[in-house]
Amino acid sequence: MDFNGLFLEAVSTTIRLACCSTDNTSDVMTTPEKSSNSNNISNIFPDDLLGPNSDVNPDFPMVKGGGHGEEKERMDGGGDTKMISDDMRKILEIVFFVVLSGGISILGCIANVINMVVFWRQGFKDSVNISLFGLAIADFGALITLVWMAVCFTPWFRFSDIPFESTDVQYPTAGWPHMFFARSTSLITAFITFERCLCIALPLKVKTIITPTRTRYIIALIFFFIGASVLPIYYAIDIGEVFVEDRNKTLYAIVYRPGGKDVESVCFALTEFAQLSSFVLVIVFTAILIRNLLKKSKWRAEVTGRGRRGGGLGQAGAGGEFSSTQTITEGERTGAPSRADKSASRDRRVMVLVLSIACIFIACFLPSATNLVLIILLPDYTITGRYKNTFQVTGAICNTCESINSSVNIFVYYNMSSRYRAEFRRLFGMERYVTGIDGPASIGTDQSAQPGV
């Protein structure tokens, strides 16, 4: 028996084990207790343990990997392509998630509370008012969840003496609730633009098709459908005690129940289908509205020009195209607005208001839609793939854009609706500015209500 060979092999093995146990970049645990904890947690979080270097999902940020996991990916030849470094990613996450998204969301919450109060005071006899009130509720919910998300991603809060991993707990308490309200916002916006298109296609029947009562049911159905798509996630996940290796303490974090991953995937697919379909519908309906608006503007300019050139003939009773009141209205000949002129002006201003809301929605949700397409087309563009840093920063930017979309509608309403503007001023004790050229007006299209917008 070669004792010298066995001795040298034993020494070599001991040295290799010693190097592995003292290597700072290794994930090998040297104590049985830590090894046991690591194995238990890895069953719950297959990717990695929770830690300071958390991975973020763009729609609902969630910790799914730790600092040691990043080292393992780099050692294995994976990891990001370093278009965005790890340190830069962390800085950008704080800038977008905490500073921009959080700050905008706080202001947006205040703005949407004002919107809800104004619409409530105006009443709900008009279907458009009902839709905009529902939109304000959805926007407020999307923003208040982003405020809590910003708090959870604030380093001073996360690394304080709290008993839970905030970037993990926010997943069911902020991420999915935000998903619910944001997708509701998308579908309500699609419904509002669809209603305007219906006014173009069936101008004489739309008032009997889209009634205030039916509008209430449709808005409620939108919330119910998205809620039914989101609620199963709370069966899939739970909050439990987990040993967080990188922070060397036991904290409350999310754990997956058996089959939870599959339920999560189905919920995500349903909500993303709602997002993409509503985004496409808003684009289509907006294009129809813009085409119709340009067509009517061109026709109005032509008719007004012909009326000015042939006004004398029309008033003298001469024949020809200018003598027909069907072509040139009384208001266009005399300069005094008729009832038909006021109704047409009101409908046009409502259309412009809806177009403004739709265009803001398209601009703010375009990054999210593009990001989702990239996820589908690029296998490495995932939360743990080669482009994970870019993926996470893009997600933070998408959340910021969504917060902008849900916050700026108050400016659209104030500038384009005289009735909203008047009610807004009364709400804040500015009645002396209400009288004047604004007069009574409606933000919607209620036939029995006041004229104008």
Side-chain angles (χ1 to χ4, degrees), residues 1-14 16:
M1 183 176 294
D2 188 1
F3 290 97
N4 292 331
L6 290 174
F7 175 77
L8 292 176
E9 183 177 356
V11 171
S12 175
T13 302
T14 303
R16 286 199 302 271

Side-chain angles (χ1 to χ4, degrees), residues 281-311:
L281 288 174
V282 170
I283 292 177
V284 172
F285 295 147
T286 301
I288 295 173
L289 292 175
I290 291 176
R291 180 178 178 275
N292 181 266
L293 184 64
L294 294 176
K295 183 179 178 181
K296 283 190 173 182
S297 298
K298 181 179 179 181
W299 175 84
R300 188 176 292 108
E302 291 177 353
V303 169
T304 302
R306 288 183 297 180
R308 289 174 179 173
R309 292 193 302 269

Side-chain angles (χ1 to χ4, degrees), residues 25 29 45 87 151 204 215-216 225 278 321-322 357 363 401 422:
T25 63
M29 308 306 297
F45 300 99
D87 291 337
V151 171
L204 301 179
T215 301
R216 291 188 183 96
F225 170 74
S278 59
E321 58 180 327
F322 302 116
I357 296 173
C401 291

Side-chain angles (χ1 to χ4, degrees), residues 176-390:
W176 276 99
H178 172 74
M179 174 81 77
F180 165 72
F181 287 109
R183 299 305 172 256
S184 299
T185 292
S186 302
L187 289 178
I188 292 173
T189 304
F191 170 71
I192 293 173
T193 54
F194 168 74
E195 182 186 14
R196 287 295 93 197
C197 288
L198 205 59
C199 290
I200 298 172
L202 303 170
L204 301 179
K205 297 181 179 181
V206 65
K207 296 170 185 177
T208 59
I209 297 174
I210 306 295
T211 63
T213 300
R214 288 177 180 173
T215 301
R216 291 188 183 96
Y217 285 130
I218 291 172
I219 299 300
L221 189 62
I222 288 174
F223 282 113
F224 176 81
F225 170 74
I226 300 298
S229 302
V230 169
L231 280 179
I233 196 66
Y234 294 98
Y235 163 80
I237 59 179
D238 196 5
I239 302 294
E241 291 187 343
V242 174
F243 179 77
V244 182
E245 178 185 341
D246 293 323
R247 298 178 63 178
N248 196 29
K249 62 170 65 174
T250 299
L251 298 171
Y252 285 99
I254 68 166
V255 293
Y256 283 91
R257 292 190 174 98
K261 287 282 189 179
D262 296 330
V263 174
E264 180 188 49
S265 299
V266 173
C267 292
F268 182 77
L270 290 174
T271 54
E272 290 310 309
F273 172 77
Q275 167 65 23
L276 279 181
S277 59
S278 59
F279 183 76
V280 172
L281 288 174
V282 170
I283 292 177
V284 172
F285 295 147
T286 301
I288 295 173
L289 292 175
I290 291 176
R291 180 178 178 275
N292 181 266
L293 184 64
L294 294 176
K295 183 179 178 181
K296 283 190 173 182
S297 298
K298 181 179 179 181
W299 175 84
R300 188 176 292 108
E302 291 177 353
V303 169
T304 302
R306 288 183 297 180
R308 289 174 179 173
R309 292 193 302 269
L313 292 175
Q315 292 177 7
E321 58 180 327
F322 302 116
S323 63
S324 174
T325 57
Q326 295 179 351
T327 305
I328 305 174
T329 66
E330 180 68 23
E332 288 169 340
R333 291 201 304 267
T334 63
S338 65
R339 184 180 182 85
D341 292 332
K342 292 178 180 180
S343 178
S345 176
R346 179 191 63 214
D347 290 342
R348 180 178 180 277
R349 295 173 74 176
V350 172
M351 184 184 296
V352 173
L353 184 147
V354 171
L355 277 174
S356 300
I357 296 173
C359 290
I360 292 172
F361 170 83
I362 293 172
C364 291
F365 274 83
L366 182 61
S368 295
T370 304
N371 199 46
L372 185 59
V373 172
L374 290 176
I375 293 173
I376 297 173
L377 296 180
L378 299 179
D380 289 330
Y381 188 68
T382 64
I383 201 167
T384 55
R386 294 176 58 199
Y387 306 103
K388 66 177 184 178
N389 284 357
T390 306

